Amino acid sequence: MSKATEKAYSLIRENILSGTFAPGAHLKEGELVDLCGVSRTPVRDALRQLATDRYVVTRRNQGVFVNEWTVDDINDIFELRAILESMVAERAATHISEGQVQELGKIHQAIQAMLDENGPLLVDFFLEQNKRFHAILLEATRSRALADSLSQIVQPPLIAQTARQYSRQELQNSNDHHRDIVAALEARDGALAASVMKIHIISAQRKFMNSYVASEATEAAE
Amino acid sequence: MSKATEKAYSLIRENILSGTFAPGAHLKEGELVDLCGVSRTPVRDALRQLATDRYVVTRRNQGVFVNEWTVDDINDIFELRAILESMVAERAATHISEGQVQELGKIHQAIQAMLDENGPLLVDFFLEQNKRFHAILLEATRSRALADSLSQIVQPPLIAQTARQYSRQELQNSNDHHRDIVAALEARDGALAASVMKIHIISAQRKFMNSYVASEATEAAE
DNA sequence: TTCAACAATATTGTATACATTAAAGACCGA
DNA sequence: TCGGTCTTTAATGTATACAATATTGTTGAA
């Protein structure tokens, strides 16, 4: 992606993640041009990219709309992710380097340090470290197909929404999973790593669905 | 996709599938404009779409290049496909309608009729029916996430290349798998359907890799 | 002869004007 | 008042001109 396109992509994406552009909203190219300060061509390029990243959907001759996820969609995504990330963990166990294992350990420790501080919960820090953790595992599999699939499946907005509702204890549980995964990888135990990863993702799913149905109920009552 | 974009997409895609645009080749927008008879804008849109469909890769300020698949990439794809299509079969067993099961049966019979005729092998017909078979199963799962993932993974050029090297006996084996899958779905036996599907995909993988390494060896000898 | 710097060229990136299409509203008739 | 058709308008789709960038080739000196 080139400069102008990237600028448009980031700005539009942020507005979607922050909720300024609500699910289902019609994103008009003209308005986006005003927002981003670039011409329609890079705006259109950005929208195409956002479509492949599933932030928006395109309807011919009608434009692009912010993607709307149903409960079933979200459950599907988590279920698939559990399977794919398990594969990642399993394959990583056979291919991962010593250096990569150490990197994973450092990420676990960094999050743990934050949790031990008893200061404010830095969710953005957690999200970043968590993302890097999974990225290193993915890299260790050396599988383009897995990387492509997961990049398609993993929905940053959903992960962010999940993490922001984590309590300190839940963040601790999540990081404990990370610790167990690192241990399994050190022992080159792919099956164990896969099992822990599966639990890791399914825990996130349960947390997300609990808070999701709760918020839906609140909205309905309003 | 709109008219001009679709025209460009189809033409470029055909040239890639036929080998006119070889793997690694640099596709220049100017030449594609001449080829397709549309302006650069829809050509660029088509290229972006071809990039999301993994036919080409884009390098910033350098343009797009026909994607090159390594043996490892292809093995990864088949392995992932085996897992995802198994999921599809399993989930389809619980959600599929009577009508859809009958449709699947008809597809099996149509291919069988062709095989029984002892006439020429109509590979294009087989490919089309096969594609529909898998599409119906996917539809029956009612899972957007699965559909998205598989559309990302399934590489039409690889499937076509595999099928074109199938002997009559191998086509028969493939269609026997279809028959077994239909039977499993009729019995609403998701586990069985998943197992057969896994064998179905892995058989394709073995066939592809055999002919692939053979052709590689031929090229090396030339 | 080789390497580096520079110039020329070709290609991609961006902006914008024009064409086409779909949605919204006004008008007319029943 | 309702329904439908036509007009209007606003959006997307397309073409093309211009700008920025990367590649290639050339020239010069070491």
Side-chain angles (χ1 to χ4, degrees), chain A residues 129-141:
Chain A
Q129 296 293 320
N130 184 63
K131 186 176 169 187
R132 237 176 80 70
F133 190 93
H134 289 269
I136 290 171
L137 281 179
L138 192 51
E139 195 188 333
T141 64

PDB file of all heavy atoms in Angstrom, chain A residues 129-141:
ATOM      1  N   GLN A 129       1.159  -6.936  22.891  1.00  0.00           N
ATOM      2  CA  GLN A 129       2.014  -8.068  23.234  1.00  0.00           C
ATOM      3  C   GLN A 129       1.359  -9.380  22.810  1.00  0.00           C
ATOM      4  O   GLN A 129       2.021 -10.282  22.298  1.00  0.00           O
ATOM      5  CB  GLN A 129       2.276  -8.087  24.750  1.00  0.00           C
ATOM      6  CG  GLN A 129       3.041  -6.877  25.260  1.00  0.00           C
ATOM      7  CD  GLN A 129       4.469  -6.831  24.738  1.00  0.00           C
ATOM      8  OE1 GLN A 129       5.139  -7.855  24.648  1.00  0.00           O
ATOM      9  NE2 GLN A 129       4.929  -5.634  24.383  1.00  0.00           N
ATOM     10  N   ASN A 130       0.065  -9.459  23.035  1.00  0.00           N
ATOM     11  CA  ASN A 130      -0.690 -10.660  22.672  1.00  0.00           C
ATOM     12  C   ASN A 130      -0.615 -10.907  21.167  1.00  0.00           C
ATOM     13  O   ASN A 130      -0.396 -12.032  20.705  1.00  0.00           O
ATOM     14  CB  ASN A 130      -2.145 -10.479  23.102  1.00  0.00           C
ATOM     15  CG  ASN A 130      -2.974 -11.721  22.847  1.00  0.00           C
ATOM     16  OD1 ASN A 130      -2.710 -12.777  23.418  1.00  0.00           O
ATOM     17  ND2 ASN A 130      -3.954 -11.595  21.959  1.00  0.00           N
ATOM     18  N   LYS A 131      -0.759  -9.827  20.410  1.00  0.00           N
ATOM     19  CA  LYS A 131      -0.705  -9.921  18.951  1.00  0.00           C
ATOM     20  C   LYS A 131       0.666 -10.439  18.519  1.00  0.00           C
ATOM     21  O   LYS A 131       0.775 -11.305  17.650  1.00  0.00           O
ATOM     22  CB  LYS A 131      -0.965  -8.532  18.359  1.00  0.00           C
ATOM     23  CG  LYS A 131      -1.087  -8.490  16.851  1.00  0.00           C
ATOM     24  CD  LYS A 131      -1.431  -7.068  16.418  1.00  0.00           C
ATOM     25  CE  LYS A 131      -1.297  -6.902  14.922  1.00  0.00           C
ATOM     26  NZ  LYS A 131      -1.470  -5.497  14.506  1.00  0.00           N
ATOM     27  N   ARG A 132       1.715  -9.896  19.161  1.00  0.00           N
ATOM     28  CA  ARG A 132       3.076 -10.307  18.821  1.00  0.00           C
ATOM     29  C   ARG A 132       3.290 -11.778  19.171  1.00  0.00           C
ATOM     30  O   ARG A 132       3.948 -12.509  18.417  1.00  0.00           O
ATOM     31  CB  ARG A 132       4.084  -9.445  19.569  1.00  0.00           C
ATOM     32  CG  ARG A 132       5.067  -8.734  18.652  1.00  0.00           C
ATOM     33  CD  ARG A 132       5.990  -7.822  19.414  1.00  0.00           C
ATOM     34  NE  ARG A 132       7.086  -8.523  20.053  1.00  0.00           N
ATOM     35  CZ  ARG A 132       8.099  -9.092  19.388  1.00  0.00           C
ATOM     36  NH1 ARG A 132       8.133  -9.028  18.076  1.00  0.00           N
ATOM     37  NH2 ARG A 132       9.064  -9.708  20.028  1.00  0.00           N
ATOM     38  N   PHE A 133       2.728 -12.196  20.285  1.00  0.00           N
ATOM     39  CA  PHE A 133       2.861 -13.599  20.707  1.00  0.00           C
ATOM     40  C   PHE A 133       2.346 -14.529  19.609  1.00  0.00           C
ATOM     41  O   PHE A 133       3.036 -15.447  19.166  1.00  0.00           O
ATOM     42  CB  PHE A 133       2.070 -13.806  22.007  1.00  0.00           C
ATOM     43  CG  PHE A 133       2.296 -15.131  22.678  1.00  0.00           C
ATOM     44  CD1 PHE A 133       3.264 -15.274  23.670  1.00  0.00           C
ATOM     45  CD2 PHE A 133       1.534 -16.231  22.339  1.00  0.00           C
ATOM     46  CE1 PHE A 133       3.476 -16.491  24.301  1.00  0.00           C
ATOM     47  CE2 PHE A 133       1.737 -17.455  22.964  1.00  0.00           C
ATOM     48  CZ  PHE A 133       2.714 -17.585  23.946  1.00  0.00           C
ATOM     49  N   HIS A 134       1.142 -14.239  19.153  1.00  0.00           N
ATOM     50  CA  HIS A 134       0.533 -15.100  18.133  1.00  0.00           C
ATOM     51  C   HIS A 134       1.256 -14.964  16.794  1.00  0.00           C
ATOM     52  O   HIS A 134       1.370 -15.930  16.042  1.00  0.00           O
ATOM     53  CB  HIS A 134      -0.953 -14.771  18.004  1.00  0.00           C
ATOM     54  CG  HIS A 134      -1.751 -15.211  19.194  1.00  0.00           C
ATOM     55  ND1 HIS A 134      -2.346 -16.445  19.272  1.00  0.00           N
ATOM     56  CD2 HIS A 134      -2.025 -14.605  20.378  1.00  0.00           C
ATOM     57  CE1 HIS A 134      -2.960 -16.579  20.448  1.00  0.00           C
ATOM     58  NE2 HIS A 134      -2.783 -15.463  21.133  1.00  0.00           N
ATOM     59  N   ALA A 135       1.785 -13.761  16.532  1.00  0.00           N
ATOM     60  CA  ALA A 135       2.503 -13.554  15.267  1.00  0.00           C
ATOM     61  C   ALA A 135       3.787 -14.373  15.226  1.00  0.00           C
ATOM     62  O   ALA A 135       4.133 -14.955  14.195  1.00  0.00           O
ATOM     63  CB  ALA A 135       2.804 -12.069  15.087  1.00  0.00           C
ATOM     64  N   ILE A 136       4.482 -14.438  16.352  1.00  0.00           N
ATOM     65  CA  ILE A 136       5.734 -15.206  16.392  1.00  0.00           C
ATOM     66  C   ILE A 136       5.447 -16.685  16.182  1.00  0.00           C
ATOM     67  O   ILE A 136       6.140 -17.381  15.444  1.00  0.00           O
ATOM     68  CB  ILE A 136       6.462 -14.977  17.741  1.00  0.00           C
ATOM     69  CG1 ILE A 136       7.007 -13.549  17.790  1.00  0.00           C
ATOM     70  CG2 ILE A 136       7.570 -15.993  17.933  1.00  0.00           C
ATOM     71  CD1 ILE A 136       7.542 -13.134  19.143  1.00  0.00           C
ATOM     72  N   LEU A 137       4.390 -17.177  16.836  1.00  0.00           N
ATOM     73  CA  LEU A 137       4.004 -18.575  16.648  1.00  0.00           C
ATOM     74  C   LEU A 137       3.717 -18.852  15.175  1.00  0.00           C
ATOM     75  O   LEU A 137       4.177 -19.843  14.611  1.00  0.00           O
ATOM     76  CB  LEU A 137       2.750 -18.890  17.472  1.00  0.00           C
ATOM     77  CG  LEU A 137       2.965 -19.133  18.960  1.00  0.00           C
ATOM     78  CD1 LEU A 137       1.635 -19.400  19.636  1.00  0.00           C
ATOM     79  CD2 LEU A 137       3.885 -20.322  19.166  1.00  0.00           C
ATOM     80  N   LEU A 138       2.971 -17.936  14.571  1.00  0.00           N
ATOM     81  CA  LEU A 138       2.590 -18.119  13.173  1.00  0.00           C
ATOM     82  C   LEU A 138       3.821 -18.152  12.286  1.00  0.00           C
ATOM     83  O   LEU A 138       3.947 -18.986  11.383  1.00  0.00           O
ATOM     84  CB  LEU A 138       1.659 -16.972  12.757  1.00  0.00           C
ATOM     85  CG  LEU A 138       0.935 -17.123  11.435  1.00  0.00           C
ATOM     86  CD1 LEU A 138       0.233 -18.465  11.359  1.00  0.00           C
ATOM     87  CD2 LEU A 138      -0.082 -16.005  11.280  1.00  0.00           C
ATOM     88  N   GLU A 139       4.753 -17.257  12.583  1.00  0.00           N
ATOM     89  CA  GLU A 139       5.982 -17.197  11.797  1.00  0.00           C
ATOM     90  C   GLU A 139       6.742 -18.515  11.916  1.00  0.00           C
ATOM     91  O   GLU A 139       7.322 -18.997  10.941  1.00  0.00           O
ATOM     92  CB  GLU A 139       6.840 -16.033  12.311  1.00  0.00           C
ATOM     93  CG  GLU A 139       7.968 -15.623  11.372  1.00  0.00           C
ATOM     94  CD  GLU A 139       8.877 -14.598  12.036  1.00  0.00           C
ATOM     95  OE1 GLU A 139       8.389 -13.868  12.927  1.00  0.00           O
ATOM     96  OE2 GLU A 139      10.062 -14.547  11.676  1.00  0.00           O
ATOM     97  N   ALA A 140       6.687 -19.090  13.121  1.00  0.00           N
ATOM     98  CA  ALA A 140       7.441 -20.321  13.360  1.00  0.00           C
ATOM     99  C   ALA A 140       6.884 -21.493  12.561  1.00  0.00           C
ATOM    100  O   ALA A 140       7.596 -22.460  12.290  1.00  0.00           O
ATOM    101  CB  ALA A 140       7.442 -20.646  14.852  1.00  0.00           C
ATOM    102  N   THR A 141       5.610 -21.432  12.169  1.00  0.00           N
ATOM    103  CA  THR A 141       5.042 -22.540  11.394  1.00  0.00           C
ATOM    104  C   THR A 141       5.568 -22.538   9.970  1.00  0.00           C
ATOM    105  O   THR A 141       5.530 -23.548   9.285  1.00  0.00           O
ATOM    106  CB  THR A 141       3.506 -22.441  11.317  1.00  0.00           C
ATOM    107  OG1 THR A 141       3.170 -21.252  10.607  1.00  0.00           O
ATOM    108  CG2 THR A 141       2.888 -22.401  12.690  1.00  0.00           C
TER     109      THR A 141
END
